[in-house]
């Protein structure tokens, strides 16, 4: 039992969580032989227009429902509970503080890898984690490899690109479909779908 534990970190707004997030996390877990993937829903005040973002408690509840039957998946409310803006580098630091001997894998989609240099202390993220990135749409594949090479050269970042499996689902599309009264069934786990429908979330009042 002296093996180093491999922990995946799956950060996101999860507004709401959907199959794209879950398939990405599961694929990363299998491909990188992770012992665990920790889902970390973001706090409310960072980067995105907060009106559209449901409160942390609701996003935590949906995430909990989505992952509850996967023994490898766990949930952390550390970002939701943190005061003020939440930053990935701080989350990683906090996790390392609790389990310093583990190896950390930060899981993200191509769009997040493209913007990661604008995040707070990207060097810190590259130093402390292996990045596991996936393409989201057909334009991503080539540019993802290019971006990974650029970050490797510039920061000695360690980046794993997952074998292609593009899941064309986004929370933005889900929110927009709900507003228009269109179906979002099967874009997310059944339990999350019922939670959203039951509480009439995202329907615009
Ligand atoms: P929004 O449209 O509100 O931005 P989103 O679908 O992009 O929502 P986020 O919570 O922003 O979801 O994403 C969290 C992480 O999951 C990011 O790294 C993002 O790139 C990744 N991700 C989200 N959806 C997919 C998908 N369909 N395929 C691969 N990665 C995804
Ligand atoms: Mg997004």
């Amino acid at each position: 039992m002296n093996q180093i534990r491999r922990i995946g970190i799956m950060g996101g707004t999860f507004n709401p969580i959907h199959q794209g997030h879950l398939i990405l996390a599961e694929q990363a877990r299998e491909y990188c032989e992770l012992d665990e993937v920790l889902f970390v829903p973001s706090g409310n005040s960072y980067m995105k227009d907060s009106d559209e973002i449901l409160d942390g408690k609701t996003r935590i509840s949906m995430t909990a429902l989505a992952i509850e039957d996967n023994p490898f998946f766990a949930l952390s409310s550390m970002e939701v509970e943190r005061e003020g803006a939440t930053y990935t580098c701080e989350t990683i630091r906090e996790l390392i503080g609790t389990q310093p001997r583990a190896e950390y894998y930060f899981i993200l989609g191509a769009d997040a890898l493209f913007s990661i240099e604008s995040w707070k202390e990207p060097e810190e993220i590259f130093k402390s984690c292996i990045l596991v990135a996936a393409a989201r749409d057909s334009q991503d594949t080539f540019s993802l490899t290019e971006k990974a090479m650029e970050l490797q050269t510039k920061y000695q970042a360690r980046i794993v690109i997952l074998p292609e499996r593009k899941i064309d689902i986004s929370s933005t599309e889900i929110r927009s479909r709900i507003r228009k009264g269109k179906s979002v069934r099967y874009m997310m786990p059944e339990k999350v779908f019922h939670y959203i429908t039951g509480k009439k979330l995202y329907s615009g009042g």
Side-chain angles (χ1 to χ4, degrees):
M1 280 301 289
N2 262 338
Q3 264 206 329
I4 293 183
R5 200 170 163 74
R6 298 173 169 206
I7 302 177
I9 304 169
M10 178 75 209
T13 319
F14 304 128
N15 186 43
I17 190 159
H18 56 67
Q19 305 296 11
H21 299 125
L22 296 162
I23 291 170
L24 169 62
E26 181 67 359
Q27 201 191 0
R29 180 192 71 75
E30 180 179 66
Y31 195 74
C32 300
E33 300 180 359
L34 306 178
D35 295 295
E36 166 188 9
V37 177
L38 191 61
F39 284 70
V40 191
S42 61
N44 267 56
S45 52
Y46 180 54
M47 272 198 178
K48 290 189 182 179
D49 177 8
S50 336
D51 311 343
E52 244 205 315
I53 304 183
L54 296 189
D55 61 284
K57 224 175 124 208
T58 305
R59 290 179 293 109
I60 290 272
S61 299
M62 292 189 285
T63 307
L65 287 173
I67 67 173
E68 70 183 3
D69 57 3
N70 187 328
F72 293 103
F73 288 178
L75 172 63
S76 166
S77 53
M78 64 200 278
E79 290 198 359
V80 166
E81 280 160 16
R82 199 178 297 149
E83 298 273 311
T86 56
Y87 298 104
T88 299
C89 59
E90 286 168 8
T91 300
I92 294 168
R93 223 175 279 140
E94 204 172 319
L95 289 171
I96 293 175
T98 59
Q99 286 194 68
R101 268 181 47 76
E103 191 163 66
Y104 291 91
Y105 291 73
F106 189 74
I107 304 165
L108 73 186
D111 58 309
L113 191 77
F114 293 139
S115 69
I116 198 166
E117 280 178 285
S118 68
W119 298 8
K120 193 181 172 204
E121 298 176 41
E123 304 87 350
E124 197 58 37
I125 303 173
F126 297 134
K127 240 184 263 163
S128 48
C129 291
I130 294 165
L131 271 60
V132 186
R136 288 186 70 163
D137 61 44
S138 44
Q139 291 115 53
D140 282 346
T141 312
F142 177 69
S143 39
L144 185 58
T145 312
E146 286 219 308
K147 186 73 198 176
M149 284 180 351
E150 182 195 321
L151 296 172
Q152 275 155 3
T153 310
K154 204 161 155 191
Y155 302 96
Q156 284 79 53
R158 295 156 293 164
I159 302 172
V160 175
I161 296 180
L162 291 173
E164 219 166 279
R165 176 191 297 287
K166 292 182 285 253
I167 311 294
D168 186 13
I169 300 177
S170 70
S171 304
T172 301
E173 188 195 352
I174 290 172
R175 294 192 301 273
S176 142
R177 291 183 68 86
I178 295 175
R179 264 197 311 273
K180 294 177 191 153
K182 291 185 169 175
S183 172
V184 296
R185 193 159 202 164
Y186 309 121
M187 296 175 118
M188 64 204 73
E190 193 76 15
K191 288 175 197 161
V192 179
F193 172 76
H194 288 304
Y195 184 94
I196 290 176
T197 323
K199 292 192 179 304
K200 299 191 168 56
L201 303 178
Y202 303 111
S203 50

